[in-house]
Amino acid sequence: MKNAQIILVDDEKMVTSAFKTLLKVEGYKKVDCFNNPVEAVEFLKTNTPDIIISDFLMPEMNGLEFLTKAKELYPEVSMILLTGYADKENAIKAINEIGLYKYIEKPWDNDDLLMNVRNGIERSHLLSNLRDKISELEKAKKQLEIYSNDLEKLVAERTKDLTLANSKLAGIINYCADGIIILDKKGNIEQANPACENMTGFSESALKTKKFQEVAYITTKAGNQSFDNKSGTILGLNHDAGDILVENCMIKNSLGGAEIPVEINFAAISTEEGTEKYVGVIRDVSKQKETERLRDDFIATLTHDLRTPLLAAIQTLKFFLDGSLGPVEEKQGVLLSTMLQSNEDLLGLVNALLEVYRFESGKLTLCKTNFSVKDLVTQCYEELKPLADKKDIAFNLECDIDDKVEILADKAEIKRVIINLCGNAVNYTNKGGEIHIIAKAQSGDLIFSVVDNGNGIPKEDIPHLFNRFSQGTSRKRSTGTGLGLYLSRQIIEAHGGKIWLDSKLNKGSEFTFLLTDVIKEERQVVNG
């Protein structure tokens, strides 16, 4: 950290001299100061910095122009803008447009300045390390794609050979490293190679007495693949349709009880008798899945490790603001409050990322209990009503559910979904608008909706709204994490329910989720 390369640009020599002296006292060894931004740009072309600090008003080239050029050379390096109080609006604009790390008003507090320098250097190093890791992952992904493309070509060649020369079928099947299996139209297994025997734990003779769905099943229906788990048949496959890739498939091993993730390429073939059969090449993708798991674990670990320094920074800022470390001037308080809010927002993003990871990895178990749905909906409504009142929004609750009705679900997670949907409605409904929260119990199901009369969402953006890191619509980008609706979908689907959106431009939106068979018997109310 003390060997970090620090670049300072200010047209006043007194400022650069004082700044350099301060940093030298703190132990920083590489501090290069410039009174001319043009000279600084030339220096940056051959020297890699860890942090860049620039004054705003300078001759020849102002601070925004200089930092823009620096950003083109080093997009991941943290940059701090020194500005007077009157230039705060330009500084904030620069942070949003150029992507600066911080702005510091003159005159600055030395302790605050040093803390921002340390944090900025650490941020630069973290972004650089993250970029290297992403580059490594991209290289690994390209290698997997090369392997996949080569293997698909091999499968296509073998399938062609099988249709032209049935006599070569036995040799290809027996010595292929991938599992190869032949089915009839009803899904009955007619032939399997040794690799398939190893995957399933059955001999070929035993496999011939079974249907394909007895040894394999689809975990998630993806794309246009058409495989019926119940009947074992492959739907819509014929000579004209080409081959079908079945993903997210599991092979059940009868010996060890293990489930092996595989991908299967099915193709239709014709026999001498004129009947239609299907040949499937089964590829074990365990290593690919493990690579994906390691990638996700790395991201989750990195995210988790960010929480400790964030919590420490938040607590330290609170100590400053509550006067525990001495009196704080008004300007300092404003800056510290801004920093506190930024750190708390970042902590919220980190926590959201961890929640998403837990749901996707299956490490988060739902804690289902019986609770009053009306009490929960009312509680969420009362928490958000002050925010709606502040924007002069008509915030209406329509809960057509008896006080005694309970549902069986994870109360904390369902509350998270309700708060997120209602909070989004409040955030994106214009001042003076109207929001309706509707909860209904119907035939054992719970139906919850949030209806607003906001600007609405374009039809083409709706399918992407529940994806990870979705940033609003193509017309207007959101400043949130892009994880709220994605996490809400994960929670509802984990409960076996559905969540969807109906929206029309300039008329409003309606978010709805449905939980089926969750309504339990009414609570027994004891009087007296």
Side-chain angles (χ1 to χ4, degrees), residues 380-381 384-385 388-389 393-397 422 426 434-435 437:
C380 296
Y381 168 79
L384 292 171
K385 192 173 188 308
D389 292 342
I393 294 174
F395 202 50
N396 305 308
L397 175 61
C422 296
V426 173
E434 188 174 354
I435 298 174
I437 301 174

Side-chain angles (χ1 to χ4, degrees), residues 56 64 81 83-97 103 105:
F56 179 67
L64 298 186
L81 181 67
T83 178
Y85 180 78
D87 296 316
K88 181 189 293 187
E89 182 176 345
N90 289 327
I92 295 174
K93 182 178 179 182
I95 290 178
N96 294 331
E97 294 183 358
Y103 77 89
E105 295 182 21

Side-chain angles (χ1 to χ4, degrees), residues 203-404:
S203 64
E204 185 178 14
S205 59
L207 284 171
K208 289 181 178 180
T209 65
K210 299 180 180 298
K211 285 183 173 290
F212 186 67
Q213 73 269 26
E214 295 180 59
V215 297
Y217 66 94
I218 306 296
T219 57
T220 304
K221 195 165 185 179
N224 295 321
Q225 63 190 26
S226 301
F227 180 80
D228 189 341
N229 276 332
K230 294 183 179 180
S231 66
T233 57
I234 307 159
L235 307 175
L237 179 60
N238 52 56
H239 292 288
D240 297 330
D243 61 350
I244 287 180
L245 174 63
V246 180
E247 299 174 302
N248 303 308
C249 185
M250 302 295 288
I251 293 289
K252 296 176 287 188
N253 188 284
S254 63
L255 297 179
E259 295 185 336
I260 304 171
V262 296
E263 291 180 351
I264 309 175
N265 271 95
F266 279 111
I269 58 174
S270 295
T271 64
E272 294 179 356
E273 295 80 11
T275 58
E276 195 171 75
K277 299 184 185 298
Y278 308 104
V279 59
V281 179
I282 307 171
R283 183 188 313 148
D284 186 343
V285 293
S286 300
K287 292 184 178 179
Q288 178 180 333
K289 296 294 184 181
E290 178 64 13
T291 300
E292 293 174 356
R293 185 191 65 80
L294 290 174
R295 178 197 63 197
D296 291 340
D297 284 350
F298 165 75
I299 294 174
T301 301
L302 179 64
T303 305
H304 181 272
D305 290 345
L306 282 173
R307 295 182 70 201
T308 300
L310 279 175
L311 288 170
I314 289 171
Q315 190 57 53
T316 301
L317 290 170
K318 287 181 177 179
F319 284 150
F320 276 111
L321 289 169
D322 65 16
S324 300
L325 302 179
V328 177
E329 295 181 2
E330 181 179 354
K331 290 184 179 180
Q332 295 172 340
V334 172
L335 180 59
L336 290 172
S337 297
T338 302
M339 293 173 60
L340 177 61
Q341 184 62 52
S342 297
N343 279 274
E344 289 178 340
D345 290 345
L346 183 56
L347 182 61
L349 171 60
V350 168
N351 289 333
L353 283 170
L354 287 174
E355 288 295 322
V356 168
Y357 170 75
R358 291 191 184 104
F359 268 101
E360 291 182 340
S361 63
K363 293 181 179 180
L364 186 62
T365 304
L366 295 176
C367 182
K368 294 185 177 181
T369 57
N370 292 320
F371 61 90
S372 167
V373 64
K374 185 171 185 178
D375 289 348
L376 178 62
V377 173
T378 303
Q379 179 185 354
C380 296
Y381 168 79
E382 291 175 349
E383 288 182 13
L384 292 171
K385 192 173 188 308
L387 297 178
D389 292 342
K390 189 175 182 180
K391 292 182 65 175
D392 194 24
I393 294 174
F395 202 50
N396 305 308
L397 175 61
E398 301 172 22
C399 187
D400 187 20
I401 301 177
D402 192 272
D403 291 340
K404 301 176 183 179

Side-chain angles (χ1 to χ4, degrees), residues 404 523-528:
K404 301 176 183 179
R523 294 180 294 178
Q524 298 297 320
V525 180
V526 180
N527 295 322

Side-chain angles (χ1 to χ4, degrees), residues 1 9 29 67 73 160 252 511 523:
M1 183 72 73
V9 182
K29 301 177 181 179
L67 292 178
L73 295 172
K160 183 178 180 180
K252 296 176 287 188
F511 284 88
R523 294 180 294 178

Side-chain angles (χ1 to χ4, degrees), residues 12 15 99 106 114 120 131 141 170 205 216 242 250 289 326 341 381 415-416 426 488:
E12 296 184 18
V15 173
K106 294 181 179 180
L114 291 172
R131 177 200 58 196
K141 180 182 177 182
S205 59
M250 302 295 288
K289 296 294 184 181
Q341 184 62 52
Y381 168 79
K415 180 179 180 181
R416 184 200 297 270
V426 173
S488 296

